[in-house]
Amino acid sequence: MTKRIPSPTPTSDRLPKCPSGIKGLDEITGGGLPRGRPTLVCGGAGCGKTLMAAEFLVRGAVQFDEPGVLMAFEETEKELNANVASLGFDLAGLVQRKKIVVDYVHIERSEFEESGEYDLEGLFVRLGHAIDSIGAKRVVLDTLEVLFASLPNEAVLRSELRRLFRWLKEKGVTAVITAERGRESLTRHGLEEYVSDCVILLDHRVNDQIATRHLRVVKYRGALHGTNEFPFLIGEDGISVLPITSLALNHQVSTERIATGIPRLDAMLGGKGFFRGSSILLTGTSGTGKTIISSNFAQAAALRGERVLFFSFEESPNQIIRNMHSIGLRLEPLVKRDLLRFHSARPSLYGLEMHLATMFKEIATYKPHVVIIDPITSLMDLGTDSEGKGMVTRLIDYLKANQVTSLFTSLTQGGKAPQESEAAMSSLMDAWILLQDFEGNGERNRVLYVLKARGMKHSNQIREFLISDHGIDVVDAYIGVSGVLTGSARVAQGDLEKAAVLASQQEAAQLKREVERKRAALERKISDLRSDYESEALELRRIAEQVGTRTFVLGTERVASGLLRQADIKVAAITRSKSKTVKGTS
């Protein structure tokens, strides 16, 4: 019977990782460098190989309590202390506390002559003593070319490289070895990358007079890793590899709505404004009022007691504050109360990554509720379309992860459809508001409409956008057979409509008066007819009474005549009959 081998647990298959502590690098490598194995960091001059290796040691000693050894072949301990101090690292203090050992090995190529054997035993003894002296878990060798510069024999070189890397593995230390980049290979010898378990390539390139550093994990045995090329920065707090945030689209969302500071614009968004934590894009040509809307948005947030961070890449803070006076906005009190903070810089001052890292640092320090970038297109022009979109993606993801509401203004070129020029960036936004100029009747006017607003009911109507010394107003634009009318044309059309309404009202009033006159005449005729009727009826009654009286008198006279003739019985009967006749007639 075959014995069944139990399936290993998921964790047993994972390669042990050694966290580097470098921002973003551990995310790209899935947890850090391979623990107990050598990692090769290669690149050209000035790309940051030594600084990355030194930070790996310092972070290990400070954050993870893992002592380290730095064996340098080019720079002395004093030079290294001064160099890494620019990153805020106290290498000398760590050496004094027995957290790090720095060993400078001076090698002169003229002192070496290739013989039958090339022995690294002396190096192993020296390095092993340094490791054992502090119980080091991390080792850095900087740089490898100096150590093997005197070996022209490729077979011997490969053998010694394998021997060195095997010795480091047997010591159980996580090693970072720096190497210079070759012309047609990753390293000068073209061998180190094959014997290393992990290879990280650093690159320092210049495009359009702007320098940018990039990092790529070329190789990582036994583990999945990010294979793309990522920009990285060397700043005051060390190295930052971008992205430094998660791109898994798993951030939290809010159902709270915040006002824009423009009531009619809020009405176009269901009367409640934008969702908190959403990303908003405001596009338009020059002079359409993007900065003015942004300033109103900032003031509304600050008046709610929220902190606003305003990144300006075209105007200084004092210029923005002065210009907003013309529309009645007072931003100075908000700045003094530290509810509004400006950060202004020329786009050409840094590259894309440095601007992004600076914004991350400002956001992390100030912890704003609202961030405004005016305009984002100034930064996107510093790189290619893919680099610009990548920068905006990382920035939006960082802001969403921290539930920060962001407003991006975008400058569009005149005569170019904004939907085409902003297609790449607009897909990342939750809401998109478009400002446009309408020219006609010898004047230019502004209009505003909402292109999209995810998750909320919004108006699809065009509104005219008015700017005056009393602030901003959004009014209904006239839309008719002749199209959209704005400015004086809208006012003239409004006057025509008012005149037409007034004429209709006057015509209706005149018709009403005519009807009233005819009604009065009719009532007078009715009154006259009623009066004639009553007069004739009265005359009829009078005639009837006269007839009755005459008949009665005639009958009485006949009775009296009959009595005289002794015919009273017959006369009496006739008299009674006549009397009834008279009564009936009356």
Side-chain angles (χ1 to χ4, degrees), residues 31 105 134 200 209 222 228 297 299 313 343 409 461 521 527 538 584:
V105 180
I134 59 172
I200 298 176
Q209 301 180 351
N228 294 333
F297 191 60
Q299 184 193 51
F313 298 104
H343 179 88
T409 68
Q461 298 295 311
S527 178
L538 180 62

Side-chain angles (χ1 to χ4, degrees), residues 115-131:
S115 58
E117 293 183 359
Y118 184 85
D119 195 358
L120 292 176
E121 217 37 64
L123 176 68
F124 294 158
V125 171
R126 188 167 179 171
L127 183 57
H129 174 71
I131 293 173

Side-chain angles (χ1 to χ4, degrees), residues 227-497:
T227 57
N228 294 333
E229 190 176 56
F230 300 96
F232 75 95
L233 304 170
I234 300 176
E236 298 177 353
D237 300 326
I239 294 176
S240 300
V241 183
L242 306 176
I244 63 174
T245 56
S246 171
L247 298 179
L249 292 177
N250 56 0
H251 49 264
Q252 299 295 321
V253 296
S254 173
T255 57
E256 181 185 356
R257 303 280 284 272
I258 58 175
T260 63
I262 305 174
R264 286 298 301 272
L265 181 56
D266 292 336
M268 296 176 67
L269 300 168
K272 300 178 181 179
F274 297 105
F275 283 116
R276 181 175 298 280
S278 60
S279 54
I280 307 156
L281 178 63
L282 182 64
T283 62
T285 56
S286 180
T288 51
K290 300 182 295 297
T291 304
I292 292 178
I293 292 181
S294 302
S295 299
N296 274 269
F297 191 60
Q299 184 193 51
L303 293 178
R304 293 193 299 267
E306 301 175 3
R307 292 184 298 275
V308 181
L309 184 56
F310 197 120
F311 291 100
S312 174
F313 298 104
E314 289 183 345
E315 300 176 272
S316 67
N318 291 333
Q319 186 177 2
I320 295 176
I321 292 174
R322 182 204 65 188
N323 294 343
M324 292 307 108
H325 284 176
S326 63
I327 62 171
L329 285 184
R330 296 293 183 267
L331 301 180
E332 306 97 318
L334 304 178
V335 175
K336 292 179 180 179
R337 292 165 56 191
D338 200 29
L339 291 173
L340 174 62
R341 179 177 296 184
F342 286 94
H343 179 88
S344 298
R346 286 293 181 188
S348 57
L349 181 62
Y350 312 117
L352 267 179
E353 288 71 32
M354 182 59 74
H355 277 294
L356 187 60
T358 302
M359 287 191 285
F360 283 161
K361 182 178 179 180
E362 290 290 332
I363 294 170
T365 303
Y366 187 54
K367 293 180 172 54
H369 300 86
V370 174
V371 169
I372 298 172
I373 297 94
D374 180 38
I376 189 64
T377 44
S378 296
L379 296 183
M380 297 183 68
D381 293 339
L382 298 178
T384 62
D385 291 341
S386 60
E387 290 174 342
K389 184 176 180 180
M391 183 270 294
V392 175
T393 302
R394 294 191 292 270
L395 180 56
I396 290 177
D397 184 75
Y398 180 77
L399 294 171
K400 283 182 175 291
N402 292 276
Q403 282 291 290
V404 178
T405 307
S406 55
L407 175 64
F408 298 81
T409 68
S410 173
L411 177 63
T412 59
Q413 301 298 325
K416 186 176 182 181
Q419 289 83 352
E420 296 177 3
S421 62
E422 310 301 324
M425 182 170 53
S426 63
S427 62
L428 304 172
M429 301 295 175
D430 297 313
W432 186 4
I433 298 177
L434 182 62
L435 296 173
Q436 279 188 335
D437 284 330
F438 265 66
E439 296 184 9
N441 297 325
E443 61 184 26
R444 174 180 292 178
N445 298 288
R446 305 174 181 89
V447 296
L448 174 152
Y449 56 95
V450 181
L451 281 179
K452 78 170 183 179
R454 291 172 177 165
M456 67 181 73
K457 182 180 179 181
H458 60 278
S459 173
N460 64 348
Q461 298 295 311
I462 295 177
R463 299 287 190 272
E464 186 172 357
F465 177 53
L466 302 179
I467 302 175
S468 67
D469 54 357
H470 300 295
I472 295 175
D473 192 14
V474 179
V475 300
D476 295 335
Y478 178 83
I479 302 175
V481 178
S482 58
V484 179
L485 299 181
T486 60
S488 60
R490 173 181 56 80
V491 175
Q493 182 64 33
D495 292 340
L496 290 176
E497 292 181 353

Side-chain angles (χ1 to χ4, degrees), residues 93-166:
L94 293 173
V95 171
Q96 292 179 357
R97 300 200 304 268
K98 305 296 183 181
K99 292 291 186 179
I100 290 180
V101 172
V102 178
D103 189 6
Y104 169 62
V105 180
H106 180 69
I107 298 177
E108 287 290 344
R109 183 174 181 179
S110 60
E111 298 177 359
F112 287 87
E113 293 183 1
E114 185 177 357
S115 58
E117 293 183 359
Y118 184 85
D119 195 358
L120 292 176
E121 217 37 64
L123 176 68
F124 294 158
V125 171
R126 188 167 179 171
L127 183 57
H129 174 71
I131 293 173
D132 296 337
S133 65
I134 59 172
K137 301 295 183 181
R138 303 185 180 203
V139 170
V140 169
L141 301 180
D142 182 46
T143 64
L144 205 58
E145 281 74 23
V146 179
L147 185 61
F148 295 107
S150 59
L151 282 179
N153 190 318
E154 182 176 328
V156 176
L157 176 60
R158 181 182 289 271
S159 175
E160 292 303 312
L161 281 173
R162 290 185 180 276
R163 184 182 177 198
L164 173 62
F165 281 56
R166 177 56 58 186

